[in-house]
Amino acid sequence: QSVLTQPPSVSGAPGQRVTISCTGSSSNIGAGYDVHWYQQLPGTAPQLLIYDNNNRPSGVPDRFSGSKSGTSASLAITGLQAEDEADYYCQSYDSGLSGYVFGTGTKVTVL
Amino acid sequence: EVQLLESGGGLVQPGGSLRLSCAASGFSFSSYAMSWVRQAPGKGLEWVSAISGSGGRTYYADSVKGRFTISRDNSKNTLFLQMKSLRAEDTAVYYCAKDIVVAANSYYFDYWGQGTLVTVSS
């Protein structure tokens, strides 16, 4: 059902760097639509984490960064902290579907 | 402070109907498109529907087209989702979200409500 593909899970020790990939196609990311990322803490609503590929809303730590290239994007978390344990979703727009599309979601575990 | 507060969820039988509401505050409601996004239990996020700021344009995911209707009352700063012919697979937490559209290549949600649970079961 999800149009954008993410790894189901990633993990790392406190202080480490982890990355989450988001793979799309020529009708969404590859068509030039920007990629955005959301963090969903357990039992809560999603929150905007990164917008327009690599911009952080006010209040988001600079440990979070995003990038985009071709038909893919990625989210990096440096200096991993226990509070970063959450589900992360990428999101873009798809011209073929004429609607918003989400990634499959990635669970980040802090070891 | 932007606030989005959903209501109207509950238990409904297959084939039944339900109307969700989302009360918005803290921003110029009529200036922004709004969306509904759902999340089935233990699953990922799925965009459901969107509506322009004026209410003149609406958009739907294929999974709900013809069964769900999005609308808004800008005089009351409220967003609605009328759901008909509900199926078990419509069971989910439904979030309303404030849309941001920039330069025709950037579409995202900058604020989300806390969600309302819809359960379709006999």
Side-chain angles (χ1 to χ4, degrees):
Chain A
Q1 194 171 11
S2 295
V3 173
L4 307 179
T5 302
Q6 300 176 230
S9 63
V10 298
S11 61
Q16 284 191 330
R17 179 179 187 268
V18 297
T19 61
I20 301 170
S21 61
C22 174
T23 303
S25 67
S26 59
S27 61
N28 42 68
I29 299 174
Y33 293 105
D34 286 343
V35 178
H36 320 284
W37 293 87
Y38 302 89
Q39 178 191 60
Q40 186 174 32
L41 297 168
T44 69
Q47 287 187 307
L48 182 64
L49 188 67
I50 296 286
Y51 67 96
D52 293 351
N53 307 316
N54 55 14
N55 294 286
R56 290 183 306 277
S58 175
V60 173
D62 59 6
R63 303 184 291 103
F64 295 92
S65 62
S67 64
K68 172 191 164 185
S69 178
T71 58
S72 296
S74 65
L75 173 72
I77 310 174
T78 57
L80 195 62
Q81 298 184 5
E83 65 205 51
D84 299 334
E85 235 180 44
D87 293 324
Y88 293 82
Y89 294 90
C90 61
Q91 176 258 311
S92 187
Y93 184 87
D94 192 285
S95 56
L97 298 173
S98 296
Y100 299 81
V101 290
F102 284 96
T104 48
T106 299
K107 182 175 180 59
V108 169
T109 301
V110 181
L111 302 173
Chain B
E1 178 193 6
V2 172
Q3 290 193 343
L4 300 171
L5 185 62
E6 302 94 335
S7 61
L11 175 64
V12 61
Q13 292 189 337
S17 300
L18 207 58
R19 188 196 198 200
L20 306 182
S21 300
C22 172
S25 61
F27 65 101
S28 179
F29 183 67
S30 62
S31 297
Y32 292 91
M34 298 290 294
S35 282
W36 289 98
V37 178
R38 68 184 181 184
Q39 186 171 34
K43 302 297 185 182
L45 301 170
E46 179 190 16
W47 170 76
V48 172
S49 181
I51 186 168
S52 63
S54 66
R57 289 170 292 166
T58 57
Y59 311 88
Y60 299 94
D62 287 343
S63 57
V64 305
K65 202 170 293 182
R67 300 187 299 121
F68 290 11
T69 302
I70 191 171
S71 62
R72 63 193 297 161
D73 183 340
N74 286 344
S75 69
K76 296 182 178 179
N77 290 353
T78 305
L79 176 71
F80 302 102
L81 185 68
Q82 178 68 52
M83 305 184 292
K84 298 180 179 179
S85 303
L86 284 162
R87 308 165 180 167
E89 54 263 37
D90 295 318
T91 294
V93 173
Y94 284 74
Y95 298 101
C96 70
K98 175 175 169 282
D99 291 20
I100 295 294
V101 178
V102 180
N105 72 326
S106 175
Y107 300 75
Y108 63 97
F109 313 106
D110 62 345
Y111 289 95
W112 299 63
Q114 88 292 343
T116 186
L117 177 62
V118 172
T119 303
V120 184
S121 175
S122 55

